[in-house]
């Protein structure tokens, strides 16, 4: 494999060699002159110049050095001078001191040559510089060509063997047969567009479990996102009602009964409540009051349900819940303009807002200024514990920086000619923080750059409508990548799996962390090799996620089937999915339940970093029993919840 140093050697001209030698000689002359003066000073001083354990033969390389920073190079030379001073105070003779100088000078010459070889690169390479002096990740020389990955970058392997499957079985009870009259379920969603989407999806399933009529959900208009949009202003309400008519009866409002309108009883259910939980907590109140409103309805339904209820989730999320015509039309315009620029494009969902970074407790290389600014923001959450930034990053709980995302993509094989659509809010650090990413991918676009202010005017005052436009472009992109594991990232990951396993890159943050920290000590080829190894299982390939892991919205395994007559000889089929398929590759009608949870599924959901989006960073409580259903009981929660601002912040 060709290394950066060999590439540089091959491209050197005689003139460059001469310039390099002259540069090294100048550095060494300066160092030698300074060392001589310091030796006289140290020998005449009664106090030691440095610690006696200093080893002058060791030439450590600073992890903060920049191959293009003259000031940093000078600092390295000064460190060597200091080490030479130390040797003079250890009782060594002037002769031995010059002997050590010779060793150091030889080491320095080797160091300078190595550094300059790494700095020099061929014409098809781009030079990248970290944005901050305190950035723990130093500059690197990165090939502008993505390199060969050995496969098509714009599609996943074996995706043709699978299809989305969410049709109900013949044994799945229909709405006309099971809906009980005068029983209405209402919900109030919470958070941003995608968190509300999960709540709407789960509300349909909850209504099915309770044999109730669902009232069109009320969107969150008071949260951090401050969007006053109604359901019908974002989603096609008629499509929502008609598509699900066989599963759940849905009405726009509670109809009058005998001239009176029911006043719903407001309550809240625990997060990740399973069907038995709804039947024990909500059903008794619903029978008595006839109308119940579930507040802050986000992630209030278990991640693990029976197959048929999971498929109902898919019918809601992937078919019934569509955007309004005006949003779809504008979204298609944006996609079309990206297609005019290039046959293929990447969409990046970049979450790097100041509030999010402050809450994460991570260090993003901004030094003391960053720590002060984000520390002030973090004070909003008085209940948060002090975090160790290094520990948080080691555990993979820090969003990648824009530069890290760019380096990951380049290592995966995407060249500088690739067009990049970026969906993001306010980026902490602004253009300075985005500069390394733009240097790697100059074809940098957003909805604001490819559409006029006039075109975006009907949407720009509403955060959820603007997010819907980004959602459409990201969904239609050839490759979708994210620097986080938030709601939009998970929703799109699941959707792209369902509709053909389109490439979806999620950073393996825990492994990439160590790689970014050590990248100064390896060649570009070594870095590329490590990134590609670590990202196996994080690229949107079929069956790459272990069954039962992650949110269902991210990995809708129950709604993905093998195509009839095709066999996946290379991709292993998870055991629990094999039980749901017969030998002909068609769907099996075994396990056509109506909501009962199997022993395997009833296991409490794991709390992962993704749960940070809705701020449940609290210990899970064991459920020993449910309340008896009286009016005072339903508001009891299984888990304490953090202040609303904290929840809303990550609820994209």
């Amino acid at each position: 494999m060709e290394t950066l140093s060999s590439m540089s050697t091959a491209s050197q001209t005689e003139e460059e060699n001469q310039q390099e030698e002259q540069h090294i000689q100048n550095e060494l002359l300066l160092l030698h002159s300074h060392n001589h003066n310091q030796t006289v000073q140290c020998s005449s001083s009664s106090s030691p110049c440095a610690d006696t354990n200093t080893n002058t033969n060791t030439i450590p390389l600073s992890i903060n050095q920049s191959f293009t920073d003259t000031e940093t190079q000078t600092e390295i030379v000064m460190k060597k001078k200091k080490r030479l001073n130390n040797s003079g105070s250890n009782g060594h003779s002037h002769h031995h001191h010059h002997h050590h100088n010779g060793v150091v000078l030889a080491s320095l010459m080797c160091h300078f040559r190595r550094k300059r070889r790494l700095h020099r690169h061929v014409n098809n390479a781009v030079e990248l510089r970290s944005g901050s002096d305190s950035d723990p990740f130093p500059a690197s020389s990165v090939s502008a060509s993505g390199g060969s990955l050995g496969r098509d970058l714009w599609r996943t392997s074996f995706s043709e063997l699978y299809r989305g499957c969410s049709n109900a079985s013949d044994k799945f009870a229909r709405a006309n047969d099971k809906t009980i009259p005068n029983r209405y379920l209402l919900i109030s969603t919470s958070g941003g567009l995608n968190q509300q989407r999960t709540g709407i999806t789960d509300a349909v399933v909850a209504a099915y479990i309770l044999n109730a009529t669902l009232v069109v959900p009320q969107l969150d208009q008071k949260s951090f996102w401050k969007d006053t949009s109604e359901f019908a202003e974002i989603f096609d309400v008629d499509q929502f009602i008609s598509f699900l008519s066989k599963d759940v009866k849905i009405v726009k409002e509670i109809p009058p009964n005998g001239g009176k309108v029911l006043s719903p009883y407001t309550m809240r259910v625990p997060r990740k409540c399973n069907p038995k939980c709804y039947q024990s907590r909500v059903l008794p109140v619903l029978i008595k009051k006839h109308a119940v409103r579930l507040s802050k309805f986000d992630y209030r339904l278990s991640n693990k349900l029976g197959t048929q209820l999971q498929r109902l989730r898919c019918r809601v999320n992937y078919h019934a819940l569509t955007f309004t015509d005006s949003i779809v039309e504008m979204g298609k315009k944006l996609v079309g303009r990206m297609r005019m620029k290039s046959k293929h494009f990447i969409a990046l969902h970049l979450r790097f807002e100041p509030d999010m970074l402050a809450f994460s407790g991570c260090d993003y290389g901004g030094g003391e200024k960053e720590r002060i600014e984000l520390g002030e923001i973090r004070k909003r959450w008085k209940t948060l514990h002090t975090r160790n930034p290094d520990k948080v990053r080691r555990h993979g709980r820090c969003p990648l920086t824009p530069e890290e995302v760019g380096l990951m993509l380049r290592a995966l094989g995407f060249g500088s000619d690739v067009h990049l659509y970026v969906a993001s809010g306010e980026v902490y650090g602004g253009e300075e923080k985005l500069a390394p990413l733009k240097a790697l991918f100059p074809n940098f676009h957003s909805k604001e750059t490819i559409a006029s202010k006039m075109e975006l005017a009907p949407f720009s005052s509403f955060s959820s409508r603007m997010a819907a436009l980004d959602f459409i472009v990201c969904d239609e992109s050839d490759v979708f990548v994210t620097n986080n594991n938030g709601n939009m990232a998970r929703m799109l990951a699941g959707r792209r799996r369902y509709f053909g396993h389109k490439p979806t890159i999620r950073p393996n943050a825990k492994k990439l962390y160590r790689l970014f920290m050590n990248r100064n000590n390896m060649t570009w080829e070594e870095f590329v090799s490590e990134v590609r190894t670590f990202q196996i299982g994080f690229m949107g390939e079929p069956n790459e996620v272990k069954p039962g892991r992650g949110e269902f919205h991210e990995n809708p395994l129950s709604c993905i089937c093998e195509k009839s007559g095709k066999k996946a000889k290379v991709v292993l089929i998870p055991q629990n999915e094999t039980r749901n398929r017969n030998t002909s590759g068609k769907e099996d009608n075994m396990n056509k339940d109506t909501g009962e949870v199997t022993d395997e599924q009833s296991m409490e959901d794991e709390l992962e970093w993704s749960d940070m989006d809705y701020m449940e960073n609290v210990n899970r409580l064991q459920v020993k029993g449910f309340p008896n259903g009286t009016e005072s009981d339903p508001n009891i929660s299984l888990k304490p919840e953090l202040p609303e601002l904290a929840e809303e912040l990550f609820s994209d």
Side-chain angles (χ1 to χ4, degrees), residues 583-601:
T583 56
S584 66
K586 296 181 179 179
E587 299 171 47
D588 190 358
N589 282 331
M590 302 291 289
N591 189 27
K592 301 300 181 182
D593 55 79
T594 58
E596 290 299 318
V597 182
T598 64
D599 292 338
E600 181 180 5
Q601 292 168 325

Side-chain angles (χ1 to χ4, degrees), residues 262-376:
L262 288 173
S263 179
Y265 179 87
T266 300
M267 60 182 288
R268 189 181 300 180
V269 293
R271 288 247 165 85
K272 300 186 178 180
C273 190
N274 63 23
K276 290 183 179 179
C277 168
Y278 276 91
Q279 291 164 358
S280 299
R281 284 177 171 266
V282 183
L283 186 58
V285 182
L286 193 56
I287 292 173
K288 183 176 182 179
K289 297 290 186 179
H290 302 292
V292 168
R293 181 190 303 278
L294 302 179
S295 64
K296 290 189 68 64
F297 198 80
D298 56 340
Y299 296 93
R300 303 289 167 174
L301 182 63
S302 175
N303 189 45
K304 299 187 175 118
L305 301 173
T307 300
Q308 290 303 308
L309 289 183
Q310 298 287 46
R311 291 190 174 183
L312 175 55
R313 264 177 164 161
C314 293
R315 290 197 292 279
V316 180
N317 197 5
Y318 305 140
H319 299 284
L321 207 51
T322 60
F323 295 120
T324 60
D325 290 343
S326 61
I327 292 175
V328 171
E329 182 181 353
M330 188 65 224
K332 287 183 176 179
K333 279 185 182 180
L334 296 175
V335 173
R337 289 171 188 175
M338 289 301 298
R339 294 278 179 226
M340 290 174 64
K341 296 177 182 297
S342 179
K343 180 180 179 181
H344 300 295
F345 73 93
I346 298 174
L348 164 63
H349 181 226
L350 181 66
R351 293 215 62 188
F352 212 70
E353 301 95 333
D355 300 83
M356 180 182 183
L357 303 188
F359 187 90
S360 71
C362 300
D363 183 352
Y364 298 96
E368 188 63 22
K369 179 176 180 290
E370 176 191 292
R371 284 189 286 274
I372 293 174
E373 290 177 349
L374 297 186
E376 285 300 313

Side-chain angles (χ1 to χ4, degrees), residues 626-645:
F626 293 109
N628 59 17
T630 62
E631 291 188 17
S632 60
D633 287 334
N635 287 307
I636 299 174
S637 175
L638 296 180
K639 298 179 182 179
E641 297 183 10
L642 294 178
E644 291 188 7
L645 177 60

Side-chain angles (χ1 to χ4, degrees), residues 531-575:
V531 169
R532 294 180 182 184
T533 298
F534 292 155
Q535 281 300 119
I536 294 175
F538 291 81
M539 301 293 287
E541 300 280 349
N543 294 321
E544 69 179 9
V545 180
K546 182 179 178 181
R549 295 298 300 272
E551 291 289 339
F552 178 78
H553 297 296
E554 180 181 6
N555 186 39
L557 199 58
S558 300
C559 302
I560 297 174
C561 303
E562 282 183 61
K563 289 184 179 179
S564 179
K566 295 189 177 182
K567 298 294 181 181
K569 295 182 179 180
V570 180
V571 181
L572 297 177
I573 306 299
Q575 290 183 354

